Amino acid sequence: MTFRLRLALIVLALGLGVAAGAYALAPTTAHRSFTVTLPTSATAPVSGRLLVFVTDAKTARAAAKGGEVASVDTNPFSPKDATVIARDVGRLEPGQAIVVDGDTEAFPQGLSQLPAGDYLAQAVLDTDHSYDYNGRGAGDLLSKVVPVTLGNAAVPALVLDAVQPGRDPWTASAKAPPGMQDMLTAARPHATAIDFQSPALTGFWGRPTLMKGWVLTPPDYDAKSSKTWPVVYYTHGFGATAATLTAPLATVWQAMQKGQMPPMIWVFLDESSPTGTHEFADSVNNGPWGQAITAELIPYLEKSYRMDARVNGRFLNGHSSGGWATLWLQVRYPKIFGGTWSTSPDPSDFHDFTGVDLYAPNANMYRKADGTATPLVRDKGQVIATFETFAKLEQTINAYGGQLASFDWVFSPRGADGRPVPMFDRATGNVDPAVVAYWRDHFDIAYRLKRDWPTLKSDLDGKIHVYVGTADTFYLDGAAHRLKDTLDALHATSSVQFIEGRTHFDLYVEGDDRQALLKKIAWQMYAVARPNAAPENHP
């Protein structure tokens, strides 16, 4: 959840909302279309999900402050500010043009419902169907941003004449904080790529399936030493990939180098997949990712590096979707890991699934019992997106790979068509109680703790550490409260802490230090692995 929505929040802060006056004119009534062409200069046919984005021209140009409007895109934090038109493209030949109807698949409304006036439009061919996960990616085809006037007879033409470049993981993005490039350069010699083919996942999918990420060794690491180092297994939130993991890697390296964090080996794991995040769960849809990490990848890494292979030498850390993944791994495999420090985890108790009780009679994701809309995203106390608008935008962009569809791929049973059975109906919001029962029995962490505590206690007690903000952007503090209540009722030794006023995106901040919480967590882990160590700079 974290990566793509963080970008959206930045966009929101820049003021790309549509001005209220933009909709004062009467809407157009006839269906409108675009023609989208693959130029003859293209070297091969292409396919994918074709997306056309349309936004109010005056508002977009004002946000650009007199500069060029470089792109037109949607914004999950304000999903109704741009119209998204979509259709699948099976094969588009060089020189071929296709017509995209502006009303067949569109969100939040078709072009015929927009008022006459001036707009800007851009087409993107999402060649690998990953737009719902992390937006425009390497190899996607883009048109220029073109002006469009709704209300006249002209058919707007868009040409897919540009290719989205790839991202160098060791080059800081334009939005990175100052000094990030120097940090990346310093960390790079101490990082090694993981490119491990999993036998279990390969067998599940029937094709070579890789586990990716990075191993970061600490400043005092010596491969020839008899010494071993504690290991932290870290995974990311929704929208990130192995390429974006280098930024937190560089942050950890600098902190270890300065003595602000203890010397440990960090394994940064990519949990992205074509279906969203697999969250290292053993899923009937995504495959046995939990088995792959615990029975295959960890033994492989421990043979390759001077890792502390004791239970109290292996730790877990992750935020958001990564927070759920690490919390799940600890509960599911308590004999493997010595503790998880999970921050802002996705719902760990399905009685509060971002504010919705999935177990309630006639549960609905879109509407509360009183008929009001269910909020999904908030900022500074203000609701800025509802569950319904978020879900329908996601479905328009693609049928899979988005945050909500990702939950189905992880948690749901497999349907007769070979795809996961949706937990809720995207048209009505109605929850399927049979699917929820499957979710509960397999992946509701609080339910699992209650059901299995007598067998889990000896290996799990004292190992669960959770942090979440009281103003979490996605209402994830609600499920965390329920998890704490469950652990307390079991008389478990655990730590679930709520940081007053913090959101999903500033949880780690203290003063000028944006990673203060991570540093505290690292020292807590080190104290478990090396209880007799007492560095002078230990917090």
Side-chain angles (χ1 to χ4, degrees):
M1 194 176 284
T2 303
F3 175 75
R4 179 159 170 73
L5 292 180
R6 183 185 291 116
L7 294 180
L9 186 59
I10 294 171
V11 173
L12 183 68
L14 293 176
L16 292 184
V18 175
Y23 289 99
L25 300 176
T28 59
T29 56
H31 274 221
R32 299 301 308 266
S33 301
F34 288 91
T35 62
V36 179
T37 304
L38 182 66
T40 55
S41 58
T43 58
V46 295
S47 63
R49 182 75 167 168
L50 182 60
L51 305 169
V52 178
F53 302 96
V54 181
T55 194
D56 177 71
K58 181 178 179 181
T59 305
R61 287 171 177 146
K65 298 180 180 179
E68 179 184 2
V69 178
S71 66
V72 179
D73 205 347
T74 188
N75 178 354
F77 271 90
S78 189
K80 294 186 177 181
D81 286 355
T83 295
V84 184
I85 304 160
R87 64 164 286 183
D88 286 329
V89 176
R91 184 180 177 89
L92 186 63
E93 300 279 354
Q96 181 183 359
I98 58 173
V99 177
V100 182
D101 182 84
D103 288 81
T104 302
E105 288 189 75
F107 176 88
Q109 57 203 354
L111 289 188
S112 64
Q113 298 302 306
L114 292 179
D118 294 328
Y119 295 83
L120 297 176
Q122 185 176 29
V124 180
L125 184 66
D126 177 19
T127 57
D128 64 355
H129 297 268
S130 65
Y131 211 97
D132 251 339
Y133 184 72
N134 55 6
R136 300 172 189 190
D140 286 352
L141 304 182
L142 290 72
S143 77
K144 295 179 176 62
V145 175
V146 300
V148 175
T149 301
L150 297 183
N152 65 23
V155 177
L158 301 168
V159 180
L160 299 169
D161 55 3
V163 179
Q164 181 75 15
R167 183 184 185 281
D168 178 2
W170 296 104
T171 298
S173 72
K175 297 178 180 179
M180 177 55 71
Q181 186 56 62
D182 290 340
M183 292 165 59
L184 287 166
T185 301
R188 186 173 185 177
H190 307 277
T192 305
I194 299 171
D195 205 24
F196 175 76
Q197 181 172 321
S198 161
L201 293 168
T202 296
F204 178 88
W205 287 105
R207 61 177 183 271
T209 304
L210 302 177
M211 305 181 78
K212 292 183 173 292
W214 306 91
V215 176
L216 176 69
T217 52
D220 64 342
Y221 183 76
D222 181 357
K224 297 179 180 179
S225 171
S226 60
K227 177 182 176 181
T228 62
W229 284 260
V231 185
V232 182
Y233 292 90
Y234 167 99
T235 193
H236 54 77
F238 190 88
T241 64
T244 63
L245 282 171
T246 52
L249 181 155
T251 299
V252 168
W253 166 256
Q254 184 185 65
M256 288 196 295
Q257 190 178 43
K258 291 183 175 181
Q260 297 169 344
M261 291 172 65
M264 296 192 287
I265 298 172
W266 285 69
V267 179
F268 293 85
L269 294 169
D270 182 351
E271 66 164 342
S272 67
S273 76
T275 65
T277 49
H278 54 69
E279 306 200 26
F280 291 101
D282 293 310
S283 161
V284 296
N285 302 299
N286 287 329
W289 282 93
Q291 176 187 343
I293 183 176
T294 57
E296 297 175 351
L297 181 62
I298 288 177
Y300 165 76
L301 293 175
E302 289 179 349
K303 290 179 181 178
S304 305
Y305 295 88
R306 298 295 303 161
M307 292 180 168
D308 186 341
R310 300 173 305 132
V311 173
N312 281 352
R314 303 188 196 105
F315 305 107
L316 294 158
N317 172 238
H319 185 72
S320 195
S321 294
W324 189 94
T326 50
L327 183 58
W328 170 256
L329 283 170
Q330 183 63 71
V331 172
R332 176 65 181 83
Y333 299 98
K335 295 178 184 293
I336 301 294
F337 302 102
T340 185
W341 280 256
S342 304
T343 61
S344 304
D346 286 347
S348 52
D349 185 325
F350 297 159
H351 283 96
D352 192 325
F353 197 83
T354 60
V356 180
D357 182 355
L358 301 186
Y359 302 122
N362 304 312
N364 186 283
M365 303 305 296
Y366 296 164
R367 299 287 165 185
K368 298 180 181 180
D370 62 4
T372 58
T374 302
L376 181 63
V377 186
R378 62 182 171 180
D379 184 49
K380 297 179 177 64
Q382 179 182 359
V383 175
I384 52 180
T386 68
F387 207 106
E388 181 175 11
T389 54
F390 191 96
K392 291 184 175 179
L393 170 60
E394 176 181 295
Q395 187 179 39
T396 300
I397 293 174
N398 199 30
Y400 59 90
Q403 176 68 81
L404 302 181
S406 179
F407 289 134
D408 288 333
W409 279 86
V410 176
F411 301 147
S412 288
R414 183 183 295 176
D417 61 357
R419 294 194 175 206
V421 182
M423 181 270 285
F424 70 97
D425 186 293
R426 278 5 184 218
T428 65
N430 291 334
V431 169
D432 185 334
V435 175
V436 169
Y438 184 93
W439 280 33
R440 177 199 64 203
D441 292 346
H442 293 82
F443 296 108
D444 185 321
I445 292 174
Y447 176 81
R448 189 182 192 94
L449 288 168
K450 287 186 236 181
R451 183 190 66 192
D452 300 339
W453 187 246
T455 57
L456 290 171
K457 180 178 179 179
S458 61
D459 296 309
L460 187 57
D461 205 27
K463 293 182 177 181
I464 293 176
H465 311 264
V466 174
Y467 294 86
V468 64
T470 61
D472 185 84
T473 311
F474 308 105
Y475 299 88
L476 296 172
D477 49 315
H481 275 290
R482 297 191 68 98
L483 176 67
K484 184 180 188 302
D485 291 344
T486 294
L487 290 164
D488 290 348
L490 294 169
H491 304 289
T493 302
S494 62
S495 174
V496 182
Q497 297 187 40
F498 299 89
I499 303 179
E500 186 64 32
R502 293 300 182 191
T503 71
H504 205 70
F505 303 116
D506 63 3
L507 185 71
Y508 284 43
V509 178
E510 289 185 16
D512 295 332
D513 188 350
R514 298 197 60 80
Q515 298 300 329
L517 178 58
L518 184 62
K519 293 168 185 174
K520 289 182 179 180
I521 285 171
W523 285 111
Q524 290 172 21
M525 293 173 174
Y526 198 69
V528 174
R530 302 290 184 267
N532 296 322
E536 292 181 3
N537 52 2
H538 192 300

